[in-house]
Amino acid sequence: MRLTGTDRGRLLFVLVLATAVAVFTATVPLLRDWFDLRVYHGAVDAWIHHGGSVYDYRVPGTEYGFTYPPFAAVSMLPMALLALHAAIAVGLLLNLAATAFVLHVLAGERLRRHGWFGLAVTVCLLALLEPVRDTFSFGQVNLVLLALVLGDAWLLSTGRTCWAGVGIGLAAAIKLTPAIFIVLLLLARRPRAAGTAVGVAATATALAAWVMPDASRFYWTEAVWDTTRIGRLDYVSNQSLQGVLARLADPGEPSRAAWALVALAVLGVWVWRARRALAADDLLGAFALTGLAACLLSPITWVHHLVWLLPSLAILFGEGFRRRRLLWIAGGLYVLLCSSVVWLWFDDASGIDGFVGSNTYVWITLGLLLGLPVGQARVNRPPWRRRTSETAPAPSPAAPARVPASASQPTEPSSAAMAAGTAAGPAVDTRRGGRSEPTGSTRPAAPKPQSSSERASSYTAKPPA
């Protein structure tokens, strides 16, 4: 098919943008050489082919090893059948599939309206985000976990509640942080989905205990409490509240009492704001707030864990098309999250500038938790469904021929509001029994976790003792 002049211009723009993204990704932030995937592959290989424990394995020349719950290793068993480079290829494909699903949930309708050009630009811009490019470059699982959790949000939004909770349960069994979403399901008065999530997580954990009893015993009695296995709390890549306190206390230990007080405050804000979002049927808003709280409360939140900010960014950009000020804020946050700015304080995070700059991503996460525009009735209405109560009834045959415009459809949201809400993703009537009906609209192992510069690592500069 012959391209029009406009299409040729768009294609040229996308090619230039994609080239710029590729050059930036390959040179500026530096590649991580799939270090984490090497850990996964090496640990599974040591377990299956050499009779060792996944928790005893260390990447040659380093002190880094497997740190996830036992079920994560069980779910990675297919790696034992693959060579390293084949495992890397499969990992990339899984991350691409997870990214595609996340985009579908968060911005599917808006991307469909803008066609191939909108999708191509969005993918290029997404590839620049440091958490996203680190997830791909490390061979991490964060995007897969995000897709599992958002899958439950999508199921709840579209009335497919039978399987809701399975994704959250699997994610929590693979990595502990997503377990906070089970609490969200309880706040949303979704006991069946919460029970499903708990049941799936418990079954997966029990399966892992049966398959690898010694490793499971070690993990749940020792490893899970030892954060030094993961890395130093004060390392600049740790963008959690615990990381802020550790950098303030360096070279001493951070105050546990101070962390407990700050954590309780964050929990209170999360519950308050999540309940407001749920009261307005803004399920995606509640899920976005929960991802923010998880990043803040986790003892260690490496930069690549911040893919949990993607739902919040989607909401902010979606609202920005209606409220220009929010678009500028969203753009500013996006630039900061692309900039790798925290690494400027890799060597020294002391002083006021170090306190502010080395914790930039923490401030972004905290700011979003406090100010993300959620809990408004018109936010995040799912483009594929609406509640029955929002659909105007068919006109009666006896109705007058002329009806004032202000009274013709009292409960139908305006087309502008519907258009603005489509980028933000799903929502649902969280009240028990609520339903929604469809409408017609619609290389050898590197000695350190990075290939070129230890400034780009998401781990400790010195191996933990």
Side-chain angles (χ1 to χ4, degrees), residues 295-327:
C295 290
L296 291 169
L297 295 172
S298 176
I300 289 181
T301 298
W302 300 134
V303 169
H304 54 74
H305 296 162
L306 295 176
V307 294
W308 294 100
L309 271 62
L310 288 178
S312 299
L313 291 175
I315 291 173
L316 205 56
F317 274 106
E319 287 298 298
F321 287 104
R322 297 179 66 256
R323 298 153 63 184
R324 190 57 56 90
R325 180 177 62 88
L326 290 180
L327 190 59

Side-chain angles (χ1 to χ4, degrees), residues 83-104:
L84 176 61
H85 289 91
I88 290 172
V90 172
L92 286 172
L93 290 175
L94 282 175
N95 273 327
L96 286 170
T99 303
F101 181 74
V102 168
L103 282 175
H104 167 70

